[in-house]
């Protein structure tokens, strides 16, 4: 069985991420969506909230598992006995950041490959960061994230 690890902050999951999961399943039998716990970024949503939102967004896709990890991604990839990391590329501006991550992981392990898939152009400019910024000021983000995520954002910013 071909398994890929799709790591990220997913704070929160967007249609861009879901597009990568759907595309990834054309190549892999199973995708493990792995939420990073110990990020240097300060998240809006807790790990449990993020995992719950991803589970809800992927509830009709059996080949998706949602998990979280601490520490180095490469150690997690080995623990899960996978050898491919899946990442999405939106615009050229993502490239330098992704190159750094993929190159670091290659230094740490030659056996693990990073595979990049391009998001649909409709999703090229969606990021969790701009979704949060829009939601913070009351904009309607339902075109960018699933309904339950939009509701969770609205609730978070009204607390
Ligand atoms: O969604 P993000 O925040 O762009 O995802 C970044 C992520 C989680 C893939 C990356 O920060 C990561 O893998 N961090 C874990 C620590 C690690 O393995 N560092 C070495 C590679 S940079």
């Amino acid at each position: 069985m071909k398994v890929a690890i799709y790591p990220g902050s997913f704070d929160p999951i967007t249609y861009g991420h879901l597009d990568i999961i759907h595309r990834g399943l054309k190549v892999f039998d199973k995708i493990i969506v792995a939420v990073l716990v110990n990020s240097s970024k300060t998240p809006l949503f807790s790990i449990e909230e993020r995992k719950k939102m991803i589970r809800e967004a992927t509830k009709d896709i059996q080949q998706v598992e949602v998990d979280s990890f601490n520490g180095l991604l490469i150690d997690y990839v080995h623990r899960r006995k996978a050898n491919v990391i899946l990442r999405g590329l939106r615009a050229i501006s993502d490239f330098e950041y992704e190159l750094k991550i993929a190159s670091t992981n290659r230094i740490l392990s030659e056996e693990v490959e990073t595979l990049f898939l391009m998001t649909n152009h409709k999703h090229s400019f969606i990021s969790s960061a701009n979704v949060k910024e829009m939601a913070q000021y009351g904009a309607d983000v339902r075109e960018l994230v699933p309904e339950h995520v939009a509701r969770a954002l609205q609730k978070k910013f009204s607390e």
Side-chain angles (χ1 to χ4, degrees):
M1 181 151 86
K2 285 184 286 172
V3 178
I5 307 288
Y6 181 29
S9 304
F10 303 102
D11 185 41
I13 188 159
T14 67
Y15 280 136
H17 296 127
L18 286 167
D19 183 48
I20 294 298
I21 292 171
H22 281 109
R23 285 171 199 283
L25 285 173
K26 294 182 190 163
V27 183
F28 297 98
D29 302 308
K30 178 178 172 178
I31 291 180
I32 302 173
V33 181
V35 187
L36 175 65
V37 175
N38 59 338
S39 172
S40 52
K41 300 177 187 169
T42 307
L44 177 65
F45 292 101
S46 71
I47 285 292
E48 283 316 313
E49 287 171 323
R50 281 179 272 164
K51 287 205 291 191
K52 200 170 157 207
M53 285 187 280
I54 302 169
R55 283 201 183 101
E56 174 67 23
T58 58
K59 64 173 190 277
D60 296 327
I61 322 172
Q62 282 186 355
Q63 309 93 307
V64 170
E65 179 186 330
V66 182
D67 195 10
S68 49
F69 72 101
N70 245 310
L72 287 178
L73 171 60
I74 216 77
D75 293 336
Y76 176 75
V77 173
H78 289 313
R79 272 204 305 282
R80 296 306 311 257
K81 303 200 182 337
N83 57 11
V84 179
I85 296 166
L86 178 64
R87 291 284 288 172
L89 271 183
R90 291 165 301 192
I92 194 79
S93 49
D94 281 342
F95 185 75
E96 212 168 303
Y97 173 69
E98 293 300 332
L99 183 66
K100 193 195 95 191
I101 298 177
S103 307
T104 308
N105 287 327
R106 180 166 286 172
I107 291 167
L108 295 169
S109 173
E110 269 289 342
E111 293 95 71
V112 175
E113 291 298 335
T114 302
L115 184 83
F116 294 101
L117 291 178
M118 273 164 56
T119 43
N120 184 308
H121 64 90
K122 284 194 297 198
H123 302 127
S124 288
F125 295 98
I126 310 179
S127 69
S128 298
N130 65 30
V131 165
K132 281 183 282 192
E133 190 170 37
M134 287 167 71
Q136 184 176 4
Y137 297 109
D140 185 352
V141 292
R142 282 175 303 176
E143 265 189 47
L144 312 178
V145 296
E147 184 81 38
H148 67 281
V149 176
R151 275 200 306 273
L153 281 160
Q154 205 178 23
K155 185 160 177 270
K156 218 20 125 179
F157 288 119
S158 64
E159 273 167 8

